[in-house]
Amino acid sequence: MAMYFVFMGPPGSGKSTMAKKIFEEYGLAHFSTGDIIREKIATDKKFKEMFEALIKEGKLLDDENTKKLLLEKLKKSQIKNGFILDGYPRTIKQTSDLDNILAELNAKLDLVIYFRLSEKAAVERLSKRLYCPSCSKVYNLASVKPKNEGICDECGSKLDVRADDMPEAIIKRFREYENKTKPLLEHYQKKGILKEIDVDDEVENNYKKIKSVIELVMKKKIKK
Ligand SMILES: [Zn+2]
């Protein structure tokens, strides 16, 4: 029995970490559009040129190409247990694109899980991030600490804070995310397939909450 989820949540909500744990426990594949685009850039020169031109103009990959890319990836992936989408859909147009993608795979969205994080918790979590300016490795003083304080494990360079991870920048990103996501949440709420989970808590407790939601979906599907 396969299950299909969309994970949404602001930066710092830990949705990718959760998706990884769910993959390990339930075998649900995890797809992030960011990863898929990076993979395509690394393997397709024509795509890379097209994408770089977009970035130069300050644009994002359009809906049609994003849809094509995602469908192509899903079709060649191992998804017999279902999957979790992370970072998609981002717009109302993409919600109907996703319905089409799923229809083509003979699947239907079970649930959209929104990871609700307070602004305060987002700042607390993200301001603990450090990165290495030489090799780009990211650390987190709460979870992935460097072995020697302030020094990159990989290359020995001095770690720094990204401008993006300064409190004002975090709050700005956080609010932008919430505003952009609101219409999507309303859309899925109306469809009756939205579940919000409060993730201000510790990782282990958050994971328990998510597990119980997933197991509920599982039970409902078995009954059918
Ligand atoms: Zn480094």
Side-chain angles (χ1 to χ4, degrees):
M1 180 205 49
M3 296 186 287
Y4 305 93
F5 294 95
V6 163
F7 279 11
M8 287 200 254
S13 63
K15 60 185 161 51
S16 308
T17 311
M18 293 299 158
K20 215 180 190 178
K21 284 167 91 81
I22 288 163
F23 169 70
E24 281 155 13
E25 190 157 352
Y26 301 95
L28 288 180
H30 168 219
F31 299 99
S32 122
T33 35
D35 289 346
I36 296 172
I37 290 173
R38 276 188 288 275
E39 189 186 304
K40 187 80 177 168
I41 287 171
T43 53
D44 184 334
K45 210 175 151 223
K46 244 176 102 183
F47 180 87
K48 184 177 180 229
E49 284 167 9
M50 189 267 283
F51 192 78
E52 281 170 353
L54 279 178
I55 296 296
K56 257 189 207 152
E57 293 173 46
K59 289 182 187 159
L60 292 168
L61 194 63
D62 62 90
D63 288 342
E64 216 35 54
N65 276 307
T66 309
K67 180 186 172 190
K68 247 170 65 189
L69 202 60
L70 181 58
L71 185 60
E72 176 189 292
K73 176 72 183 175
L74 291 171
K75 277 185 167 167
K76 62 182 183 197
S77 300
Q78 195 50 265
I79 53 170
K80 64 176 171 41
N81 292 333
F83 52 76
I84 295 165
L85 290 181
D86 169 1
Y88 191 87
R90 282 181 199 270
T91 61
I92 290 290
K93 166 73 173 68
Q94 288 183 351
T95 63
S96 55
D97 288 348
L98 176 58
D99 291 340
N100 296 333
I101 290 173
L102 288 164
E104 226 173 292
L105 299 166
N106 257 327
K108 206 172 154 260
L109 192 56
D110 287 298
L111 197 66
V112 174
I113 300 184
Y114 185 74
F115 292 66
R116 184 158 300 282
L117 182 72
S118 68
E119 199 169 279
K120 187 169 164 263
V123 170
E124 256 171 40
R125 279 183 203 172
L126 294 174
S127 56
K128 286 186 181 133
R129 283 212 298 212
L130 290 173
Y131 87 112
C132 171
S134 311
C135 73
S136 325
K137 189 176 158 86
V138 176
Y139 296 86
N140 187 308
L141 297 178
S143 48
V144 202
K145 279 189 200 163
K147 285 188 193 96
N148 298 307
E149 203 187 313
I151 303 292
C152 179
D153 293 347
E154 304 295 326
C155 70
S157 304
K158 200 167 170 280
L159 299 177
D160 204 352
V161 180
R162 265 198 195 124
D164 251 14
D165 292 333
M166 295 296 199
E168 310 76 52
I170 294 168
I171 290 172
K172 187 165 174 266
R173 257 193 300 160
F174 187 87
R175 292 186 183 163
E176 271 170 12
Y177 181 85
E178 284 203 321
N179 287 335
K180 264 198 238 159
T181 315
K182 218 180 243 167
L184 297 182
L185 296 184
E186 283 165 5
H187 172 83
Y188 285 123
Q189 179 85 56
K190 272 185 211 145
K191 290 185 107 185
I193 53 168
L194 176 70
K195 174 80 188 165
E196 295 198 22
I197 294 179
D198 174 2
V199 291
D200 274 7
D201 213 337
E202 303 281 317
V203 173
E204 280 315 310
N205 293 334
N206 294 336
Y207 186 57
K208 271 185 208 150
K209 291 184 206 168
I210 291 152
K211 266 183 72 155
S212 68
V213 169
I214 288 190
E215 286 178 11
L216 205 65
V217 169
M218 215 188 249
K219 268 187 209 152
K220 273 190 194 155
K221 284 199 122 175
I222 289 171
K223 270 193 198 154
K224 269 181 196 169

